Amino acid sequence: MTELSRRAAALRALHRPGNPLILPNAWDAGSARAVVAAGFPAVATSSGAVAEALGHADGEALPVAEMFAAVGRIAAAVPVPVTADLERGYGLRPAELVERLLAAGAVGANLEDSDPRSKRLSDVEEQADLLAGIRAAARQAGVDLVLNARVDVHLRAYGPAEERLAEAVRRARRYLAAGADCVYPIMLADPALIRDFVAELAAPVNVLARPSAPGLAELAALGVARISYGSGVYAAARARVADLLAAIRAGGDPFGP
């Protein structure tokens, strides 16, 4: 467990507001190696990309054993810390989730606060209990996992738009109190709202990189500590493959200018 503890500490230290950890999410061993070769100091998985690459839909449709096997292959392929997107935890008890995650060689987890099937936001206290249970189980196992608590208020279009930021802050505060290291208001993209969210929490904040969000330099200036790409890199890779195949089918040179 010594090496896993070292990697967990290294991953936690990379969450620096204003100098964010950038995570182009991987989906298999090859993409994880490419992330490291490009110079990134950690690897994050994307549940959607992993599931689709293995023939399943996102939303905990991938059998849990296959998900942890995929995480294990990724962690074994790279010499850097790996954090796994585990949706809402696949219904596992905290101790089992931690045991499986550590056995796979990962030292961080991303957990969302809405049901992947019904799309409904989870009860705040139930989610806080889940996070607290995972934190306690990880410490008992001797590895202080890095927990990224996703806040789905903006993804699920909770209530009136003017109330969403306040609800996201409320949830994020509770999750931090329960033991989360970082909070992830997915789909929050307005620069002023990101600034307000960061200021309200004074804790590491993760933002999803996407076309409607600020660029990397602006997100850093807003005090963001972690930037992830979700399934975006996987989608771009698939689109490139589709273009190559179309060129081949048309009788052209797929590798030409």
Side-chain angles (χ1 to χ4, degrees):
M1 285 298 183
T2 302
E3 176 60 18
L4 290 180
S5 294
R6 185 193 68 77
R7 291 193 181 195
L11 178 60
R12 182 172 284 104
L14 289 168
H15 290 68
R16 298 184 294 265
N19 183 19
L21 170 62
I22 300 172
L23 296 167
N25 302 65
W27 57 93
D28 60 11
S31 59
R33 289 192 184 106
V35 168
V36 175
F40 295 96
V43 170
T45 69
S46 159
S47 66
V50 170
E52 189 168 329
L54 293 174
H56 297 269
D58 195 13
E60 297 190 354
L62 178 67
V64 64
E66 290 192 43
M67 176 58 79
F68 281 108
V71 172
R73 289 190 293 271
I74 289 169
V78 296
V80 301
V82 171
T83 178
D85 181 358
L86 297 180
E87 305 206 43
R88 194 163 182 262
Y90 299 87
L92 300 175
R93 292 181 178 275
E96 183 179 358
L97 185 149
V98 169
E99 180 181 6
R100 289 190 177 212
L101 189 66
L102 295 179
V107 294
N110 180 76
L111 292 155
E112 57 201 50
D113 73 343
S114 64
D115 187 289
R117 296 174 180 82
S118 71
K119 314 302 182 188
R120 293 178 180 174
L121 285 169
S122 304
D123 177 81
V124 175
E125 291 306 315
E126 288 182 5
Q127 186 70 6
D129 286 347
L130 174 64
L131 293 168
I134 292 170
R135 169 62 64 219
R139 286 176 175 161
Q140 185 171 2
V143 179
D144 209 10
L145 293 174
V146 178
L147 296 182
N148 190 39
R150 205 177 86 177
V151 181
D152 289 358
V153 169
H154 292 85
L155 175 66
R156 303 304 180 200
Y158 166 90
E162 60 272 16
E163 295 179 9
R164 288 174 196 160
L165 184 66
E167 177 63 12
V169 168
R170 183 179 78 90
R171 286 173 173 263
R173 283 177 174 156
R174 185 66 188 90
Y175 302 158
L176 290 165
D181 296 282
C182 182
V183 286
Y184 181 14
I186 191 168
M187 307 306 286
L188 184 62
D190 180 271
L193 296 182
I194 292 172
R195 181 186 295 108
D196 290 347
F197 187 87
V198 170
E200 286 282 351
L201 294 171
V205 172
N206 184 178
V207 169
L208 176 68
R210 59 194 184 103
S212 62
L216 299 182
E218 186 176 359
L219 287 172
L222 292 170
V224 170
R226 173 170 167 160
I227 302 168
S228 50
Y229 281 75
S231 59
V233 176
Y234 174 75
R238 282 198 60 189
R240 177 58 177 153
V241 169
D243 289 343
L244 291 173
L245 295 176
I248 294 170
R249 184 69 183 86
D253 178 5
F255 306 111

